[in-house]
Amino acid sequence: MANLFTAAIDPMALILHGRAYLIWVEKNHPHVPKVAEIREVLGTLSDEERRAVQASAATLAELSKNVQEALGARA
C-alpha cells in the first residue's frame, strides 16, 4: 500500500508501489531542483504567493532541523 503522506504529494504513489515507484521517481523527479528552475517559477508568483512560499520553506527548514537534532545528526 502506498504511503499516504507520499500519495498526498505524488499521486503516482497510489498507482506504483515499492520498488516500481522508487524507480519511477528516480527517472522522473530530480532530487535537487535547479535554482534557475525555481527562480523561473517564483518569478510568476504574486507578492502574496511569494510570501506564502517563503513561509512554507522556513517551516520545512525548521522541521528538518528539529528532526536532524532529534536523530543526533545535526550538522
Side-chain angles (χ1 to χ4, degrees):
M1 179 158 189
N3 178 324
L4 292 179
F5 292 109
T6 303
I9 297 169
D10 188 352
M12 283 301 287
L14 293 171
I15 299 167
L16 300 174
H17 303 279
R19 186 169 175 266
Y21 175 73
L22 294 175
I23 292 168
W24 185 85
V25 167
E26 287 293 325
K27 293 179 88 174
N28 294 287
H29 293 289
H31 293 286
V32 181
K34 295 181 176 119
V35 173
E37 293 170 349
I38 296 169
R39 284 187 179 136
E40 183 179 340
V41 171
L42 292 175
T44 68
L45 302 180
S46 68
D47 289 343
E48 182 178 349
E49 290 169 322
R50 288 175 67 95
R51 284 191 296 274
V53 167
Q54 177 61 40
S56 293
T59 298
L60 184 58
E62 185 64 25
L63 291 171
S64 176
K65 183 181 92 176
N66 292 342
V67 169
Q68 290 177 10
E69 185 174 334
L71 290 171
R74 189 167 186 207

